[in-house]
Amino acid sequence: GELFFEHANTIMQELAQARETLSRDRKLHGTLRIGTIESICTVLLPQVMKQYHTLYPEVNVRITLDSPEILLNSLTNGTLDLVYILDQQIHDERFIKVLETPEEAVFTASSSNPFTGRQQIPLDEILSHPFILTERNASYRLMLDRYLAAREQAILLLIGSSSLSFLPSFAIAPEEKKGLLCALDVDQFHMQVWRQVLHHKDKWVTREMEAFFQLLRS
């Protein structure tokens, strides 16, 4: 069964490539299946998808939101064409990386919070206040939990008027411009995650996929 699957997969890839070659002059009108996470979908994808739809209005775009782990599994079983995720750097021979950009993960608070504007705030002081956080399977949340666990520390998960949060810097950028949120200066704390776009190495890159990649690169 495994041997047959390898041959069948090769045949299907070659068939898809042949069809693609013979239809180079046609307008893009296929389906593009993108897997991503909520923060990227909310902040970064809207402008890209607006441009994509303007250029290729006949392409049917389907977006799936989930954790990086589940999205990569979907990429492996072929239910997604590509994933756009935020995680630690992925080094996996099953995937081809199209984009890789570092992002800071930061503690953040409202502009009226007493921490806002302070320099080199001690981490212990930050952790003594209530937080609103994403679900545990969010990559940057998981990294923070592991970092704190190694220091025998933890976050107080409560919702209050002075609540703090921990998010990638691009996620708070729109609210920072409005003066509503601010990244906090926490003493000796630095955490980096990576925006990455990947597709499976055995996936034939369709014209619809390549057009999306070109938009991201630009």
Side-chain angles (χ1 to χ4, degrees):
E2 291 178 354
L3 289 174
F4 175 77
F5 176 78
E6 290 180 8
H7 288 290
N9 189 52
T10 300
I11 292 170
M12 294 304 293
Q13 292 294 327
E14 291 181 353
L15 179 60
Q17 183 175 356
R19 288 174 175 168
E20 191 77 8
T21 301
L22 292 172
S23 60
R24 279 288 168 184
D25 293 333
R26 70 170 174 83
K27 291 182 179 179
L28 301 192
H29 65 266
T31 298
L32 181 64
R33 302 168 299 171
I34 301 172
T36 189
I37 62 173
E38 188 172 355
S39 58
I40 289 177
C41 185
T42 302
V43 180
L44 300 179
L45 265 188
Q47 184 60 34
V48 176
M49 297 318 305
K50 180 180 179 181
Q51 291 178 282
Y52 192 88
H53 180 69
T54 299
L55 294 170
Y56 315 108
E58 297 182 21
V59 176
N60 178 26
V61 179
R62 300 177 183 175
I63 296 177
T64 299
L65 296 181
D66 220 314
S67 67
E69 180 181 4
I70 292 177
L71 293 175
L72 290 174
N73 286 337
S74 297
L75 201 61
T76 300
N77 64 36
T79 57
L80 291 174
D81 295 321
L82 62 99
V83 298
Y84 190 179
I85 57 177
L86 191 70
D87 206 342
Q88 299 180 63
Q89 282 182 295
I90 295 172
H91 301 289
D92 191 317
E93 62 182 12
R94 294 174 300 168
F95 307 124
I96 293 176
K97 199 175 296 184
V98 178
L99 176 90
E100 183 178 72
T101 304
E103 294 284 353
E104 296 295 319
V106 296
F107 290 100
T108 182
S110 70
S111 56
S112 61
N113 191 284
F115 284 128
T116 300
R118 285 183 54 186
Q119 302 296 312
Q120 298 184 322
I121 307 165
L123 180 59
D124 289 345
E125 188 177 351
I126 289 281
L127 297 179
S128 67
H129 287 254
F131 272 79
I132 301 174
L133 292 179
T134 59
E135 65 278 5
R136 286 187 178 276
N137 61 0
S139 54
Y140 45 90
R141 163 77 188 277
L142 183 60
M143 291 170 65
L144 178 63
D145 285 343
R146 288 173 176 171
Y147 174 84
L148 295 178
R151 297 165 54 97
E152 298 184 347
Q153 295 174 303
I155 278 182
L156 179 64
L157 292 176
L158 294 173
I159 297 178
S161 59
S162 62
S163 296
L164 309 174
S165 193
F166 184 74
L167 295 166
S169 55
F170 71 81
I172 68 168
E175 303 305 314
E176 276 192 300
K177 289 181 180 178
K178 298 175 185 176
L180 300 176
L181 290 178
C182 181
L184 301 180
D185 179 14
V186 180
D187 188 32
Q188 297 183 354
F189 180 87
H190 174 76
M191 187 167 290
Q192 194 172 64
V193 289
W194 297 80
R195 277 194 295 119
Q196 298 162 93
V197 176
L198 308 99
H199 67 82
H200 198 277
K201 67 179 180 63
D202 294 330
K203 169 67 179 175
W204 169 249
V205 178
T206 65
R207 292 172 65 207
E208 288 77 14
M209 291 170 62
E210 183 57 41
F212 182 79
F213 296 153
Q214 287 178 1
L215 274 181
L216 288 180
R217 294 186 189 108
S218 63

